Amino acid sequence: MNQTPDIAANLLANPPPELQRILDDPRTTDEARQAVKDVSVVSPPPVHNSLASTKKQNGDTNNAGEGRLQIVNEHQEFTKELSPYLAKWGLLDKGFAYDVVSVFGSQSTGKSTLLNRLFGTSFDVMDETKRQQTTKGIWMCPSIYGNTLVMDVEGTDGRERGEDQDFERKSALFSLASTEVLIVNLWEHQIGLYNGANMGLLKTVFEVNLGLFGGGGDSSKPKPQEKTLILFVIRDHVGATPVSNLTATLTQDMEKIWASLSKPSHLADATLSSYFDLSFATLPHKVLMPEKFESEVVELRKRFTDRSRPDYVFQPSYHKRIPADGVGFYMEGIWQQVLTNKDLDLPTQQELLAQFRCDELSAAVTEAFLASSKAVRRPVEAGQVVDGLGALMKDWLETALGKFDRDASRYHAGVYQRKRSDLLAGLHASLSSLFLGQLKNLHKIETAKFSKDIVKGTKEVGYDFAKVVTEGKEQARERFLEGAKEVKIDGTDWEYEHELALLDEDLKVIADRCRADETKKMVNTIERNIKRQLLEPVEVALSQPSPKMWDTVLKTYQSVSEDAEESYLTKAKAYNCSEEENEHALASLRARAWLSLRRKLEEQTSDATILATLRSTFEERFRYDEAGVPRVWKPEDDIESAFTKAKEETLALLPLFATVSPTTSSLLPKLPSPETSFDAESDPIPFDPSTAFVLLSPTKLLSLETRFKREADAAYVEAKRSMVSSVAQVPLWMYGILVVLGWNEAMAVLFNPLYFAMLLVLGASGYIILQLGLAGPLLQVIRTVLNEVKRIATERLREAFKEVPEAQRILNQPYLASNNSSTSHGNDGLRSEERKKGVLLSEKMVEK
């Protein structure tokens, strides 16, 4: 105790900063200054507390850290050990019977000391000889006076973090959202200050808290609002300013802050009291008034422990209603929401300047960059491939980034790097359209060139289609890849594989289309060969009808079809056709071969052709004998028997043309299905498989039979006439009389040059006509001319005879007399006109 006067004297001679601020404060009255000095002399600072604190800072903490946990470290990482520690502290099974309190305030203002004194926790306290940061991150420790979790939050406005207020905002918002009571620790002289009292920080925290935890905007479903108690603990209160004035000032400041908030639309009318209750407490100077400080701390502690007090802080309305076993997950979820909220990331002055200048530089660089690329965009957009586009793009990028780096690298490094990345991303995005346009142009040009290469290759003699296609594809891909790699910029996520895949698909489509065209040409050529090979054998077989003629036709068809299929398969190997394509082409080829045969058979079984064949067969049997010598009918010949035999034998051949009926059914070909795709040069004739082998219907057979009988009867009549003419011959003496009587005329013609020349011309003309076989056509022309003359004459006569009755009617009309002179005169005029018309008609008729 003998050291007390010395300590007090030393304290008054060298007062600590806190005491000096009180003594120098103009608001402190002289009485208050004297009271402070008296108290300092009577109640010197407790040396044992300072020694204990110094001991703890020197490492002699025994088990000081055993009862506390750092739930958020200085790297803003939330711990995974909160639930195990709650179990260790015996709080995990408490259900709702627990409370949470945290402290908020400037660095080195005694927050940890206050918590230790209030709740008996073991948070580290500041070494007063060093004045440096003690609490890093957010710590938690249980109270020894009840089931209370106490959080010690890193102080604000510390020199260690400087202008970086990111963690301050996040830790303050976390404390406000997760605890029931938030203790705001501040000195008396800080009241009335904006930054000193952390009002700016509180404003930011309030705004974000409303956005994150203020409730949804659905007013139709109201939800009970959770409230938080904000307890302002005014430190170093010496009594110069009444407590009522201090609380009024703080309340006004909080109301102003709340009124200036940017609230969500559904919370525009919310008040401060809807979310927060304000409470106040004062504590004397810890160093100058240690005993009073301790007594006031004990009194303040009762507000946290004595439920009977009216100012008890842990009211049910403040509880978050989270069971104790879920506190770890609940707080971790809140911290994750706080971390991901961008409204807390407010920049510093250096960052603001760096952002402004970097944005200006970025805009200037981008403008110059776009101006450089404008001249190249037009040809690319027009569908042209720009040679060396990749080198141009790289040069533009290097120029833009070099200028930006030179001017922007002097500012805040983090902002510079971020803005550089944004600039680079923007430039890459601007160039990506050129990249994609170049790829599309390469794609278009290579597909067009590939088509031309195939057409050119197929025009060469002895070309191999598969080789032409393979070489064309390889060359097109190589040219595309060369152009795509040249235009790709390193460091981008651009890729040309998708466009290359599209190019491969288009090349395949073009190759397939060309192969289909070439295959179609080949099949058409084979079809023409089939028609040519079927032409003569079918005509010969059907022109000589017999029961075995269909065997000949079908054997020929089978042989021709097999040769055609073999020819196709041989040529198809060079086209690299798939099995499916070959099957389709062969099915089409078989169908077209069958249609070619069917058309030829229909042509050979037409009415005119069948009648000509029957007529020829009948004439061979009727006009010629067994030796093939023409018959000259004599009166003693049995012409009726020969006619009947020839006609019956010929009619017996007519049913052979009705259906394709070989002697063995195995010769019948397999018919194509009706849905077969023919791909023929002309539309295929639709057919019914059930009638595919039927050529003539029964009605058609009956009609042909009738027409043939008429022609046969005509041949029979002609034969009869020739036999009569041969019987009624001219007597020989008649020829002598004709010679005698016509001798003079013959001599006159022979010895007259004109007549003789005309005779020679007529004879020569007749000889030429007979030799050239023009007698028939000439007779047909003469017959046509005579028929036309006959038709014209008939029409004229019909017109003339139609006019005769009209003329006769007018001329023969009687003249009627009348007593009325006027009427008679009019009738005479009409009759006169009609008679004139009749005369004219008669004259015209006579002229005709």
Side-chain angles (χ1 to χ4, degrees), residues 32 46 153 297 307 400 546 620 638 707 728:
V153 182
V297 168
R307 297 178 180 271
S546 65
E620 288 180 0
D638 188 3
R707 293 172 62 182

Side-chain angles (χ1 to χ4, degrees), residues 75 128 144 201 234 426 454 497 779:
H75 302 298
E128 295 182 358
I144 63 175
L201 181 58
I234 304 172
I454 290 183
E497 286 75 12
L779 292 176

Side-chain angles (χ1 to χ4, degrees), residues 483-504:
K485 291 178 180 178
E486 191 272 337
V487 80
K488 188 177 184 298
I489 303 297
D490 296 335
T492 62
D493 57 352
W494 300 348
E495 54 90 20
Y496 51 80
E497 286 75 12
H498 176 68
E499 195 69 30
L500 180 60
L502 294 179
L503 175 64
D504 290 337

Side-chain angles (χ1 to χ4, degrees), residues 441-681:
N441 296 340
L442 285 170
H443 182 166
K444 181 176 63 176
I445 289 177
E446 292 305 326
T447 52
K449 185 170 180 58
F450 177 70
S451 300
K452 293 180 180 178
D453 291 343
I454 290 183
V455 173
K456 181 179 179 181
T458 52
K459 291 182 179 179
E460 297 179 357
V461 179
Y463 69 93
D464 187 342
F465 184 80
K467 183 178 180 181
V468 171
V469 171
T470 302
E471 292 179 354
K473 280 186 177 181
E474 292 178 354
Q475 293 174 2
R477 282 178 58 88
E478 289 177 0
R479 290 191 295 266
F480 179 84
L481 287 174
E482 182 180 355
K485 291 178 180 178
E486 191 272 337
V487 80
K488 188 177 184 298
I489 303 297
D490 296 335
T492 62
D493 57 352
W494 300 348
E495 54 90 20
Y496 51 80
E497 286 75 12
H498 176 68
E499 195 69 30
L500 180 60
L502 294 179
L503 175 64
D504 290 337
E505 291 180 3
D506 288 348
L507 295 181
K508 184 178 183 299
V509 170
I510 295 173
D512 293 343
R513 184 172 64 247
C514 293
R515 183 171 63 248
D517 294 340
E518 292 297 317
T519 304
K520 184 177 180 180
K521 292 179 184 178
M522 179 178 65
V523 173
N524 291 337
T525 302
I526 296 175
E527 181 185 8
R528 287 193 291 270
N529 292 334
I530 291 175
K531 291 179 179 179
R532 186 171 56 254
Q533 294 175 8
L534 289 176
L535 177 64
E536 185 176 352
V538 173
E539 289 182 354
V540 172
L542 295 185
S543 64
Q544 300 174 357
S546 65
K548 293 187 177 181
M549 68 176 183
W550 292 118
D551 295 352
T552 304
V553 171
L554 294 179
K555 287 179 180 178
T556 302
Y557 168 75
Q558 184 178 3
S559 175
V560 170
S561 298
E562 291 176 355
D563 293 343
E565 292 181 13
E566 184 178 355
S567 175
Y568 169 80
L569 292 175
T570 302
K571 295 180 179 180
K573 293 180 180 178
Y575 291 89
N576 198 21
C577 296
S578 62
E579 291 294 331
E580 182 179 358
E581 292 174 336
N582 287 335
E583 291 177 1
H584 175 77
L586 288 176
S588 175
L589 184 61
R590 295 186 189 104
R592 294 163 73 171
W594 164 250
L595 287 177
S596 299
L597 176 63
R598 175 77 185 191
R599 290 193 185 98
K600 189 61 183 177
L601 293 179
E602 290 175 352
E603 178 185 341
Q604 291 300 117
T605 55
S606 63
D607 293 357
T609 306
I610 289 182
L611 288 176
T613 303
L614 293 178
R615 188 186 309 113
S616 175
T617 304
F618 172 77
E619 289 179 352
E620 288 180 0
R621 285 173 168 74
F622 181 63
R623 295 182 182 275
Y624 297 90
D625 57 12
E626 289 76 4
V629 178
R631 288 177 176 175
V632 179
W633 298 107
K634 299 177 182 179
E636 62 273 13
D637 292 338
D638 188 3
I639 189 171
E640 289 80 2
S641 299
F643 169 72
T644 302
K645 180 180 179 183
K647 184 174 71 172
E648 291 179 352
E649 290 178 354
T650 303
L651 288 175
L653 299 176
L654 183 58
L656 296 177
F657 294 96
T659 58
V660 179
S661 53
T663 56
T664 57
S665 59
S666 60
L667 292 177
L668 289 174
K670 183 179 179 181
L671 296 177
S673 59
E675 62 272 9
T676 301
S677 177
F678 293 93
D679 297 331
E681 296 175 350

Side-chain angles (χ1 to χ4, degrees), residues 1 22 33 52 56 93 165 259 265 285 294 360 365 383 407 459 465 478 497 550 619 623 655 683 750 778 841:
M1 296 297 296
I22 296 174
R33 290 190 180 92
K56 186 181 291 185
D93 57 351
Q165 298 179 344
S265 59
H285 200 287
E294 293 295 339
E360 280 188 339
V365 166
D407 297 334
K459 291 182 179 179
F465 184 80
E478 289 177 0
E497 286 75 12
W550 292 118
E619 289 179 352
R623 295 182 182 275
D683 293 336
L750 291 176
L778 185 61
L841 289 174

Side-chain angles (χ1 to χ4, degrees), residues 167-187:
F167 186 77
E168 295 178 6
R169 302 185 190 98
K170 292 178 179 177
S171 60
L173 177 59
F174 175 74
S175 302
L176 192 66
S178 60
T179 62
E180 303 169 42
V181 179
L182 176 64
I183 299 175
V184 180
N185 184 73
L186 73 165
W187 289 326

